[in-house]
mmCIF file of all heavy atoms in Angstrom:
data_model
loop_
_atom_site.group_PDB
_atom_site.id
_atom_site.type_symbol
_atom_site.label_atom_id
_atom_site.label_comp_id
_atom_site.label_asym_id
_atom_site.label_seq_id
_atom_site.Cartn_x
_atom_site.Cartn_y
_atom_site.Cartn_z
ATOM 1 N N ASP A 18 19.751 -115.754 -86.048
ATOM 2 C CA ASP A 18 20.514 -116.786 -86.743
ATOM 3 C C ASP A 18 22.007 -116.460 -86.712
ATOM 4 O O ASP A 18 22.405 -115.293 -86.661
ATOM 5 C CB ASP A 18 20.063 -116.894 -88.201
ATOM 6 C CG ASP A 18 18.626 -117.363 -88.336
ATOM 7 O OD1 ASP A 18 18.162 -118.097 -87.430
ATOM 8 O OD2 ASP A 18 17.975 -116.993 -89.336
ATOM 9 N N ARG A 19 22.816 -117.504 -86.775
ATOM 10 C CA ARG A 19 24.249 -117.275 -86.904
ATOM 11 C C ARG A 19 24.536 -116.602 -88.252
ATOM 12 O O ARG A 19 23.904 -116.928 -89.259
ATOM 13 C CB ARG A 19 25.022 -118.593 -86.868
ATOM 14 C CG ARG A 19 25.084 -119.280 -85.532
ATOM 15 C CD ARG A 19 26.096 -120.432 -85.619
ATOM 16 N NE ARG A 19 26.029 -121.301 -84.461
ATOM 17 C CZ ARG A 19 26.828 -122.349 -84.277
ATOM 18 N NH1 ARG A 19 27.740 -122.644 -85.190
ATOM 19 N NH2 ARG A 19 26.692 -123.094 -83.201
ATOM 20 N N PRO A 20 25.488 -115.665 -88.263
ATOM 21 C CA PRO A 20 25.858 -115.084 -89.561
ATOM 22 C C PRO A 20 26.534 -116.138 -90.437
ATOM 23 O O PRO A 20 27.193 -117.053 -89.942
ATOM 24 C CB PRO A 20 26.827 -113.959 -89.174
ATOM 25 C CG PRO A 20 27.363 -114.357 -87.840
ATOM 26 C CD PRO A 20 26.246 -115.088 -87.150
ATOM 27 N N THR A 21 26.342 -116.013 -91.728
ATOM 28 C CA THR A 21 26.891 -116.981 -92.680
ATOM 29 C C THR A 21 28.179 -116.445 -93.291
ATOM 30 O O THR A 21 28.186 -115.345 -93.842
ATOM 31 C CB THR A 21 25.873 -117.259 -93.810
ATOM 32 O OG1 THR A 21 24.656 -117.733 -93.220
ATOM 33 C CG2 THR A 21 26.413 -118.289 -94.783
ATOM 34 N N PRO A 22 29.275 -117.191 -93.198
ATOM 35 C CA PRO A 22 30.530 -116.699 -93.769
ATOM 36 C C PRO A 22 30.475 -116.643 -95.290
ATOM 37 O O PRO A 22 29.889 -117.520 -95.943
ATOM 38 C CB PRO A 22 31.565 -117.716 -93.282
ATOM 39 C CG PRO A 22 30.783 -118.956 -92.970
ATOM 40 C CD PRO A 22 29.434 -118.485 -92.520
ATOM 41 N N GLY A 23 31.069 -115.599 -95.849
ATOM 42 C CA GLY A 23 31.190 -115.481 -97.293
ATOM 43 C C GLY A 23 32.542 -116.001 -97.749
ATOM 44 O O GLY A 23 33.272 -116.638 -96.987
ATOM 45 N N ASP A 24 32.891 -115.705 -98.973
ATOM 46 C CA ASP A 24 34.179 -116.143 -99.502
ATOM 47 C C ASP A 24 35.314 -115.524 -98.691
ATOM 48 O O ASP A 24 35.324 -114.317 -98.416
ATOM 49 C CB ASP A 24 34.323 -115.713 -100.970
ATOM 50 C CG ASP A 24 33.366 -116.458 -101.888
ATOM 51 O OD1 ASP A 24 32.874 -117.534 -101.477
ATOM 52 O OD2 ASP A 24 33.097 -115.947 -102.994
ATOM 53 N N GLY A 25 36.252 -116.359 -98.274
ATOM 54 C CA GLY A 25 37.398 -115.876 -97.517
ATOM 55 C C GLY A 25 37.106 -115.579 -96.067
ATOM 56 O O GLY A 25 37.963 -115.027 -95.364
ATOM 57 N N GLN A 26 35.911 -115.945 -95.579
ATOM 58 C CA GLN A 26 35.544 -115.692 -94.192
ATOM 59 C C GLN A 26 35.394 -117.000 -93.427
ATOM 60 O O GLN A 26 35.212 -118.072 -94.022
ATOM 61 C CB GLN A 26 34.239 -114.902 -94.111
ATOM 62 C CG GLN A 26 34.321 -113.489 -94.664
ATOM 63 C CD GLN A 26 33.026 -112.726 -94.475
ATOM 64 O OE1 GLN A 26 31.934 -113.274 -94.645
ATOM 65 N NE2 GLN A 26 33.143 -111.455 -94.110
ATOM 66 N N VAL A 27 35.462 -116.898 -92.097
ATOM 67 C CA VAL A 27 35.298 -118.059 -91.226
ATOM 68 C C VAL A 27 34.354 -117.701 -90.086
ATOM 69 O O VAL A 27 34.193 -116.526 -89.738
ATOM 70 C CB VAL A 27 36.644 -118.536 -90.647
ATOM 71 C CG1 VAL A 27 37.557 -119.057 -91.741
ATOM 72 C CG2 VAL A 27 37.332 -117.416 -89.867
ATOM 73 N N THR A 28 33.726 -118.716 -89.515
ATOM 74 C CA THR A 28 32.897 -118.536 -88.327
ATOM 75 C C THR A 28 33.777 -118.622 -87.088
ATOM 76 O O THR A 28 34.650 -119.490 -86.993
ATOM 77 C CB THR A 28 31.812 -119.621 -88.257
ATOM 78 O OG1 THR A 28 30.975 -119.521 -89.416
ATOM 79 C CG2 THR A 28 30.959 -119.464 -87.012
ATOM 80 N N VAL A 29 33.555 -117.704 -86.156
ATOM 81 C CA VAL A 29 34.354 -117.653 -84.933
ATOM 82 C C VAL A 29 33.421 -117.615 -83.729
ATOM 83 O O VAL A 29 32.509 -116.782 -83.672
ATOM 84 C CB VAL A 29 35.280 -116.410 -84.915
ATOM 85 C CG1 VAL A 29 36.137 -116.412 -83.644
ATOM 86 C CG2 VAL A 29 36.159 -116.357 -86.154
ATOM 87 N N GLU A 30 33.640 -118.510 -82.783
ATOM 88 C CA GLU A 30 32.903 -118.477 -81.513
ATOM 89 C C GLU A 30 33.513 -117.389 -80.642
ATOM 90 O O GLU A 30 34.731 -117.332 -80.457
ATOM 91 C CB GLU A 30 33.012 -119.819 -80.802
ATOM 92 C CG GLU A 30 32.311 -119.854 -79.449
ATOM 93 C CD GLU A 30 32.589 -121.123 -78.674
ATOM 94 O OE1 GLU A 30 33.381 -121.971 -79.152
ATOM 95 O OE2 GLU A 30 32.021 -121.256 -77.563
ATOM 96 N N VAL A 31 32.679 -116.515 -80.087
ATOM 97 C CA VAL A 31 33.171 -115.398 -79.288
ATOM 98 C C VAL A 31 33.496 -115.870 -77.868
ATOM 99 O O VAL A 31 32.618 -116.353 -77.147
ATOM 100 C CB VAL A 31 32.140 -114.250 -79.244
ATOM 101 C CG1 VAL A 31 32.648 -113.116 -78.363
ATOM 102 C CG2 VAL A 31 31.853 -113.742 -80.658
ATOM 103 N N LEU A 32 34.757 -115.708 -77.476
ATOM 104 C CA LEU A 32 35.190 -116.016 -76.116
ATOM 105 C C LEU A 32 35.181 -114.775 -75.235
ATOM 106 O O LEU A 32 34.987 -114.868 -74.023
ATOM 107 C CB LEU A 32 36.600 -116.619 -76.134
ATOM 108 C CG LEU A 32 36.778 -117.909 -76.936
ATOM 109 C CD1 LEU A 32 38.246 -118.317 -76.940
ATOM 110 C CD2 LEU A 32 35.902 -119.018 -76.387
ATOM 111 N N ALA A 33 35.400 -113.610 -75.840
ATOM 112 C CA ALA A 33 35.382 -112.332 -75.120
ATOM 113 C C ALA A 33 35.289 -111.228 -76.153
ATOM 114 O O ALA A 33 35.923 -111.302 -77.213
ATOM 115 C CB ALA A 33 36.640 -112.157 -74.269
ATOM 116 N N ALA A 34 34.485 -110.200 -75.857
ATOM 117 C CA ALA A 34 34.320 -109.061 -76.759
ATOM 118 C C ALA A 34 34.637 -107.787 -76.006
ATOM 119 O O ALA A 34 34.009 -107.484 -74.987
ATOM 120 C CB ALA A 34 32.896 -109.008 -77.321
ATOM 121 N N ASN A 35 35.634 -107.051 -76.478
ATOM 122 C CA ASN A 35 36.023 -105.811 -75.817
ATOM 123 C C ASN A 35 35.098 -104.674 -76.240
ATOM 124 O O ASN A 35 34.684 -104.589 -77.401
ATOM 125 C CB ASN A 35 37.469 -105.462 -76.186
ATOM 126 C CG ASN A 35 37.930 -104.178 -75.548
ATOM 127 O OD1 ASN A 35 37.720 -103.953 -74.361
ATOM 128 N ND2 ASN A 35 38.529 -103.304 -76.334
ATOM 129 N N ILE A 36 34.778 -103.789 -75.290
ATOM 130 C CA ILE A 36 33.950 -102.619 -75.599
ATOM 131 C C ILE A 36 34.864 -101.453 -75.940
ATOM 132 O O ILE A 36 35.779 -101.115 -75.191
ATOM 133 C CB ILE A 36 33.046 -102.252 -74.411
ATOM 134 C CG1 ILE A 36 32.077 -103.404 -74.110
ATOM 135 C CG2 ILE A 36 32.267 -100.966 -74.708
ATOM 136 C CD1 ILE A 36 31.223 -103.170 -72.877
ATOM 137 N N ASN A 37 34.630 -100.843 -77.078
ATOM 138 C CA ASN A 37 35.360 -99.664 -77.530
ATOM 139 C C ASN A 37 34.410 -98.481 -77.630
ATOM 140 O O ASN A 37 33.196 -98.654 -77.837
ATOM 141 C CB ASN A 37 35.986 -99.911 -78.908
ATOM 142 C CG ASN A 37 37.184 -100.837 -78.849
ATOM 143 O OD1 ASN A 37 38.308 -100.413 -78.656
ATOM 144 N ND2 ASN A 37 36.935 -102.134 -79.020
ATOM 145 N N PHE A 38 34.958 -97.271 -77.532
ATOM 146 C CA PHE A 38 34.122 -96.082 -77.684
ATOM 147 C C PHE A 38 33.387 -96.061 -79.030
ATOM 148 O O PHE A 38 32.230 -95.617 -79.093
ATOM 149 C CB PHE A 38 34.966 -94.813 -77.504
ATOM 150 C CG PHE A 38 34.148 -93.553 -77.411
ATOM 151 C CD1 PHE A 38 33.328 -93.309 -76.322
ATOM 152 C CD2 PHE A 38 34.188 -92.611 -78.429
ATOM 153 C CE1 PHE A 38 32.561 -92.151 -76.236
ATOM 154 C CE2 PHE A 38 33.435 -91.449 -78.359
ATOM 155 C CZ PHE A 38 32.616 -91.214 -77.255
ATOM 156 N N PRO A 39 34.002 -96.536 -80.135
ATOM 157 C CA PRO A 39 33.247 -96.596 -81.385
ATOM 158 C C PRO A 39 31.961 -97.416 -81.310
ATOM 159 O O PRO A 39 31.031 -97.172 -82.084
ATOM 160 C CB PRO A 39 34.248 -97.221 -82.362
ATOM 161 C CG PRO A 39 35.571 -96.753 -81.865
ATOM 162 C CD PRO A 39 35.435 -96.801 -80.367
ATOM 163 N N ASP A 40 31.890 -98.372 -80.381
ATOM 164 C CA ASP A 40 30.641 -99.121 -80.226
ATOM 165 C C ASP A 40 29.504 -98.195 -79.794
ATOM 166 O O ASP A 40 28.367 -98.331 -80.257
ATOM 167 C CB ASP A 40 30.814 -100.254 -79.206
ATOM 168 C CG ASP A 40 31.761 -101.331 -79.693
ATOM 169 O OD1 ASP A 40 31.654 -101.725 -80.862
ATOM 170 O OD2 ASP A 40 32.610 -101.761 -78.902
ATOM 171 N N ALA A 41 29.819 -97.253 -78.910
ATOM 172 C CA ALA A 41 28.818 -96.267 -78.498
ATOM 173 C C ALA A 41 28.447 -95.362 -79.662
ATOM 174 O O ALA A 41 27.261 -95.048 -79.878
ATOM 175 C CB ALA A 41 29.343 -95.441 -77.333
ATOM 176 N N LEU A 42 29.466 -94.950 -80.437
ATOM 177 C CA LEU A 42 29.190 -94.090 -81.586
ATOM 178 C C LEU A 42 28.358 -94.818 -82.638
ATOM 179 O O LEU A 42 27.493 -94.216 -83.287
ATOM 180 C CB LEU A 42 30.510 -93.605 -82.201
ATOM 181 C CG LEU A 42 31.381 -92.700 -81.310
ATOM 182 C CD1 LEU A 42 32.656 -92.305 -82.048
ATOM 183 C CD2 LEU A 42 30.611 -91.459 -80.874
ATOM 184 N N LEU A 43 28.600 -96.116 -82.813
ATOM 185 C CA LEU A 43 27.794 -96.904 -83.744
ATOM 186 C C LEU A 43 26.330 -96.900 -83.308
ATOM 187 O O LEU A 43 25.421 -96.727 -84.138
ATOM 188 C CB LEU A 43 28.317 -98.340 -83.811
ATOM 189 C CG LEU A 43 29.573 -98.585 -84.648
ATOM 190 C CD1 LEU A 43 30.160 -99.956 -84.336
ATOM 191 C CD2 LEU A 43 29.255 -98.478 -86.138
ATOM 192 N N CYS A 44 26.103 -97.090 -82.004
ATOM 193 C CA CYS A 44 24.726 -97.075 -81.499
ATOM 194 C C CYS A 44 24.069 -95.721 -81.759
ATOM 195 O O CYS A 44 22.883 -95.654 -82.118
ATOM 196 C CB CYS A 44 24.705 -97.381 -80.007
ATOM 197 S SG CYS A 44 25.132 -99.089 -79.571
ATOM 198 N N ARG A 45 24.832 -94.659 -81.593
ATOM 199 C CA ARG A 45 24.295 -93.313 -81.771
ATOM 200 C C ARG A 45 24.183 -92.914 -83.243
ATOM 201 O O ARG A 45 23.598 -91.868 -83.549
ATOM 202 C CB ARG A 45 25.192 -92.314 -81.050
ATOM 203 C CG ARG A 45 25.171 -92.423 -79.533
ATOM 204 C CD ARG A 45 26.298 -91.606 -78.910
ATOM 205 N NE ARG A 45 26.203 -91.530 -77.451
ATOM 206 C CZ ARG A 45 27.180 -91.089 -76.674
ATOM 207 N NH1 ARG A 45 28.326 -90.686 -77.202
ATOM 208 N NH2 ARG A 45 27.014 -91.060 -75.360
ATOM 209 N N GLY A 46 24.755 -93.697 -84.137
ATOM 210 C CA GLY A 46 24.763 -93.329 -85.549
ATOM 211 C C GLY A 46 25.753 -92.234 -85.855
ATOM 212 O O GLY A 46 25.611 -91.522 -86.858
ATOM 213 N N GLN A 47 26.802 -92.107 -85.026
ATOM 214 C CA GLN A 47 27.768 -91.023 -85.167
ATOM 215 C C GLN A 47 29.142 -91.498 -85.615
ATOM 216 O O GLN A 47 30.068 -90.701 -85.703
ATOM 217 C CB GLN A 47 27.907 -90.272 -83.833
ATOM 218 C CG GLN A 47 26.628 -89.584 -83.391
ATOM 219 C CD GLN A 47 26.746 -88.977 -82.001
ATOM 220 O OE1 GLN A 47 27.695 -89.254 -81.259
ATOM 221 N NE2 GLN A 47 25.779 -88.149 -81.644
ATOM 222 N N TYR A 48 29.285 -92.793 -85.886
ATOM 223 C CA TYR A 48 30.586 -93.305 -86.310
ATOM 224 C C TYR A 48 30.744 -93.109 -87.815
ATOM 225 O O TYR A 48 29.763 -92.956 -88.545
ATOM 226 C CB TYR A 48 30.711 -94.787 -85.945
ATOM 227 C CG TYR A 48 32.121 -95.314 -85.983
ATOM 228 C CD1 TYR A 48 33.146 -94.668 -85.303
ATOM 229 C CD2 TYR A 48 32.433 -96.470 -86.694
ATOM 230 C CE1 TYR A 48 34.439 -95.157 -85.326
ATOM 231 C CE2 TYR A 48 33.722 -96.973 -86.721
ATOM 232 C CZ TYR A 48 34.720 -96.308 -86.041
ATOM 233 O OH TYR A 48 36.015 -96.791 -86.076
#
């Protein structure tokens, strides 16, 4: 499902997502 915006948030359609090293650390549970 699409995430639901909370107070002060907006929905954004992703046009491009950059890969950062923290993304790998997040997957590993090391961030």
Side-chain angles (χ1 to χ4, degrees):
D18 295 332
R19 288 190 191 182
T21 303
D24 292 341
Q26 294 184 320
V27 295
T28 299
V29 182
E30 178 188 3
V31 178
L32 301 176
N35 179 46
I36 298 175
N37 287 272
F38 190 68
D40 293 316
L42 296 180
L43 282 166
C44 290
R45 292 168 172 167
Q47 296 174 347
Y48 196 52

